Amino acid sequence: PVCPPDGQPLISANYLVNLDSVAVPDRFDLIQQYVIKDDSVWVAEYSGTVYYPAVYKIARNSTDGPKWGPLITVDVIVRLRDSEKQTDHLLKCDSVMIVRTD
């Protein structure tokens, strides 16, 4: 694909994975993300559909982010909602590499 000289806006794909391969209950949903690079934060709602690549995995995407990277690391915090208990939880993943997808 052709890319403008100053890059393209960041697209984020986040996955919630149950490490023991047990199904993630359908009461959980990823609703918002915070991508942190140094002193800058990209806050984004997830767009579109919730994907279930496997019973133990939820996937959500965000688009139209800042023009960061590739080949830099960021910290990612996701807001996870439990619709049954009406509570939100924050999950953090440090040092996530931004890669090119072309």
Side-chain angles (χ1 to χ4, degrees):
V2 177
C3 179
D6 65 340
Q8 292 184 353
L10 187 63
I11 296 172
S12 164
N14 294 156
Y15 301 92
L16 174 68
V17 179
N18 194 340
L19 294 179
D20 60 7
S21 298
V22 174
V24 175
D26 62 2
R27 70 179 204 248
F28 292 117
D29 188 13
L30 300 173
I31 59 168
Q32 189 177 45
Q33 71 166 352
Y34 308 85
V35 180
I36 304 162
K37 176 186 170 280
D38 301 323
D39 293 333
S40 300
V41 180
W42 171 36
V43 180
E45 303 290 328
Y46 291 104
S47 54
T49 307
V50 179
Y51 298 96
Y52 298 91
V55 295
Y56 58 88
K57 187 185 288 189
I58 299 172
R60 295 295 304 261
N61 298 323
S62 295
T63 59
D64 206 24
K67 294 181 180 182
W68 295 341
L71 304 179
I72 65 165
T73 58
V74 296
D75 296 332
V76 179
I77 299 172
V78 299
R79 183 175 302 276
L80 172 70
R81 177 153 299 150
D82 181 334
S83 62
E84 184 178 290
K85 295 182 179 179
Q86 293 298 306
T87 56
D88 287 355
H89 306 274
L90 299 175
L91 305 173
K92 183 179 181 190
C93 190
D94 293 323
S95 302
V96 176
M97 178 71 67
I98 294 177
V99 296
R100 294 174 60 115
T101 57
D102 60 350

